[in-house]
Coordinates of all heavy atoms in Angstrom, one line a residue:
L69 N 1.7 -15.0 7.7 CA 0.6 -14.3 8.4 C -0.3 -15.3 9.1 O -0.4 -16.5 8.6 CB -0.2 -13.4 7.5 CG 0.6 -12.4 6.7 CD1 -0.3 -11.7 5.7 CD2 1.3 -11.4 7.6
I70 N -1.1 -14.9 10.1 CA -2.1 -15.7 10.7 C -3.4 -15.4 10.0 O -3.8 -14.2 9.7 CB -2.3 -15.5 12.2 CG1 -1.0 -15.9 12.9 CG2 -3.5 -16.2 12.8 CD1 -1.0 -15.6 14.4
V71 N -4.2 -16.4 9.6 CA -5.5 -16.3 9.0 C -6.5 -16.5 10.0 O -6.5 -17.5 10.7 CB -5.6 -17.2 7.8 CG1 -7.1 -17.2 7.2 CG2 -4.7 -16.8 6.7
H72 N -7.5 -15.6 10.1 CA -8.5 -15.7 11.1 C -9.8 -16.1 10.5 O -10.2 -15.6 9.4 CB -8.7 -14.3 11.8 CG -7.5 -13.8 12.6 ND1 -6.4 -13.5 12.0 CD2 -7.4 -13.7 13.9 CE1 -5.5 -13.1 12.9 NE2 -6.1 -13.3 14.1
W97 N -10.7 -23.1 20.8 CA -11.4 -22.2 19.9 C -12.8 -22.0 20.3 O -13.5 -22.9 20.6 CB -11.3 -22.7 18.5 CG -10.0 -22.5 17.8 CD1 -8.8 -21.9 18.3 CD2 -9.7 -22.8 16.4 NE1 -7.8 -21.9 17.4 CE2 -8.3 -22.4 16.2 CE3 -10.4 -23.3 15.4 CZ2 -7.7 -22.6 15.0 CZ3 -9.8 -23.5 14.1 CH2 -8.4 -23.2 13.9
G99 N -10.5 -18.6 20.7 CA -9.6 -18.2 21.8 C -8.2 -17.9 21.2 O -8.0 -18.0 20.0
P100 N -7.2 -17.6 22.1 CA -5.9 -17.1 21.7 C -4.9 -18.3 21.4 O -3.8 -18.3 21.9 CB -5.4 -16.3 22.9 CG -6.1 -16.9 24.1 CD -7.5 -17.4 23.6
L101 N -5.4 -19.2 20.6 CA -4.5 -20.3 20.1 C -4.5 -20.3 18.6 O -5.5 -20.4 17.9 CB -5.0 -21.7 20.6 CG -4.2 -22.9 20.2 CD1 -2.8 -22.9 20.8 CD2 -4.9 -24.2 20.4
T102 N -3.3 -20.3 18.0 CA -3.1 -20.4 16.6 C -2.5 -21.8 16.3 O -1.5 -22.2 16.9 CB -2.1 -19.3 16.1 OG1 -2.8 -18.0 16.2 CG2 -1.8 -19.5 14.6
L103 N -3.1 -22.5 15.3 CA -2.6 -23.8 14.9 C -1.9 -23.7 13.5 O -2.5 -23.1 12.6 CB -3.8 -24.7 14.7 CG -4.6 -25.0 16.0 CD1 -5.8 -25.9 15.7 CD2 -3.7 -25.7 17.1
V104 N -0.7 -24.2 13.4 CA 0.0 -24.3 12.2 C -0.2 -25.7 11.6 O 0.3 -26.7 12.2 CB 1.5 -24.0 12.3 CG1 2.3 -24.2 11.0 CG2 1.7 -22.5 12.8
L124 N -0.1 -23.5 7.1 CA -0.9 -22.3 7.3 C -1.2 -22.1 8.7 O -1.5 -23.1 9.5 CB -2.3 -22.5 6.5 CG -3.3 -21.4 6.7 CD1 -2.8 -20.1 6.1 CD2 -4.6 -21.8 6.0
A125 N -1.1 -20.9 9.2 CA -1.4 -20.5 10.6 C -2.8 -20.1 10.7 O -3.2 -19.1 10.0 CB -0.4 -19.4 11.1
L126 N -3.6 -20.7 11.5 CA -5.1 -20.5 11.6 C -5.5 -20.2 13.0 O -5.0 -20.8 14.0 CB -5.8 -21.7 11.2 CG -6.1 -22.0 9.7 CD1 -6.9 -23.2 9.5 CD2 -6.9 -20.8 9.0
R127 N -6.4 -19.2 13.2 CA -7.0 -18.9 14.5 C -8.4 -18.5 14.4 O -8.8 -17.9 13.4 CB -6.2 -17.8 15.1 CG -6.6 -17.4 16.5 CD -5.6 -16.6 17.3 NE -5.8 -15.2 17.3 CZ -6.6 -14.6 18.2 NH1 -7.3 -15.3 19.1 NH2 -6.7 -13.3 18.2
M128 N -9.2 -18.9 15.4 CA -10.6 -18.4 15.5 C -10.6 -17.5 16.7 O -10.6 -18.0 17.9 CB -11.6 -19.6 15.7 CG -13.0 -19.2 15.6 SD -14.1 -20.6 16.1 CE -13.8 -21.7 14.7
S187 N -1.4 -14.5 20.4 CA -1.8 -15.9 20.7 C -0.6 -16.9 20.8 O 0.5 -16.6 20.3 CB -2.7 -16.3 19.5 OG -2.0 -16.3 18.3
T188 N -0.9 -17.9 21.5 CA 0.0 -19.1 21.5 C 0.0 -19.7 20.1 O -1.1 -19.9 19.6 CB -0.4 -20.1 22.6 OG1 -0.5 -19.5 23.9 CG2 0.5 -21.3 22.6
I189 N 1.2 -20.0 19.6 CA 1.2 -20.7 18.3 C 1.8 -22.0 18.4 O 2.9 -22.2 19.0 CB 2.0 -19.9 17.2 CG1 1.4 -18.5 17.0 CG2 2.0 -20.6 15.9 CD1 2.2 -17.6 16.0
V190 N 1.1 -23.1 17.9 CA 1.6 -24.4 18.0 C 1.5 -25.0 16.6 O 0.6 -24.8 15.8 CB 0.9 -25.3 19.0 CG1 1.0 -24.8 20.4 CG2 -0.6 -25.5 18.6
A191 N 2.6 -25.8 16.2 CA 2.5 -26.6 15.0 C 2.1 -28.0 15.3 O 2.7 -28.6 16.3 CB 3.9 -26.6 14.3
R202 N 5.5 -20.2 19.4 CA 5.5 -19.0 20.1 C 4.6 -19.1 21.4 O 3.4 -19.4 21.3 CB 4.9 -17.8 19.2 CG 4.9 -16.5 19.9 CD 4.3 -15.4 19.0 NE 2.8 -15.5 18.8 CZ 2.1 -14.8 18.0 NH1 2.7 -13.9 17.2 NH2 0.8 -14.9 17.9
I206 N -2.2 -19.2 26.3 CA -2.6 -20.6 26.5 C -1.3 -21.4 26.7 O -0.5 -21.5 25.8 CB -3.4 -21.1 25.4 CG1 -4.8 -20.4 25.4 CG2 -3.6 -22.6 25.6 CD1 -5.7 -20.9 24.3
A220 N 6.0 -19.2 11.6 CA 4.9 -18.5 12.1 C 5.3 -17.1 12.6 O 6.5 -16.9 12.8 CB 4.2 -19.3 13.3
P221 N 4.4 -16.2 12.8 CA 4.8 -14.9 13.3 C 5.5 -14.9 14.7 O 5.2 -15.9 15.4 CB 3.5 -14.1 13.4 CG 2.6 -14.8 12.4 CD 3.0 -16.2 12.5

Side-chain angles (χ1 to χ4, degrees):
L69 305 177
I70 294 174
V71 172
H72 296 69
W97 280 3
L101 179 69
T102 295
L103 299 176
V104 175
L124 175 65
L126 276 180
R127 182 161 100 84
M128 187 189 298
S187 62
T188 302
I189 301 180
V190 299
R202 180 179 73 188
I206 293 176

